[in-house]
Structure formats: C-alpha cells, structure tokens
Amino acid sequence: MSDNFGLMIFKGSSDIDRLNDNVDVEVTLAEGRRYSATFFTLHNLSSLMDRYAATGECKKASEMRPDDLLVPPATSGFVGD
C-alpha cells in the first residue's frame, strides 16, 4: 500500500489470459473510501456473451450489464507482469 492508496487485484487461482479474461480490482484510499471495478478484455466480453446466448443466462446475453466495467487494451504491462 502506498501512502495514498492500496490496490487489490482479485485474479482467481489460475494465470491471467491477456486475451480472454477478466479481473476484479479494489482501490482503497488512505482515508478509507473504497472503489472497485472489473476489467474485461474484448474477447472475454464476446466469449461471455456467446456463452450466455447459448445457455440462456442474462436473458441470452441481452441483459449483461457489469457494474463498473473497464476494457483495457490487450497489451503487456497489464496485470500479471
């Protein structure tokens, strides 16, 4: 934790797939306020929507609305380096 904030990255038990994955992130500011977001790759969003369409989850992907969604570019230097 730095003097200004703390950062937690919840990636699960497996390695992060830079092209098809998502991770939850929580930032805690020094005064105690907390913020969270989920980072998705574009391929992961597409994969999830395809799966949901096939299984009927999230009304066949028509109601997939992740809160605090962030989509970074799939480049090195992201989580896991």
Side-chain angles (χ1 to χ4, degrees), residues 42-54:
L42 287 173
H43 188 70
N44 185 244
L45 284 172
S46 177
S47 296
L48 289 173
M49 292 180 78
D50 289 346
R51 186 182 89 199
Y52 294 167

Side-chain angles (χ1 to χ4, degrees), residues 16-63:
I16 293 172
D17 179 343
R18 293 182 186 285
L19 300 177
N20 185 8
D21 215 336
N22 62 73
V23 295
D24 295 317
V25 176
E26 180 182 270
V27 176
T28 304
L29 302 180
E31 88 283 331
R33 283 186 292 165
R34 294 178 2 188
Y35 299 91
S36 63
T38 303
F39 289 78
F40 290 83
T41 63
L42 287 173
H43 188 70
N44 185 244
L45 284 172
S46 177
S47 296
L48 289 173
M49 292 180 78
D50 289 346
R51 186 182 89 199
Y52 294 167
T55 64
E57 294 174 77
C58 298
K59 293 191 178 181
K60 295 192 176 195
S62 67
E63 291 192 3

Side-chain angles (χ1 to χ4, degrees), residues 61-76:
S62 67
E63 291 192 3
M64 184 179 166
R65 296 182 189 135
D67 292 333
D68 301 319
L69 165 70
L70 296 169
V71 182
T75 61
S76 63

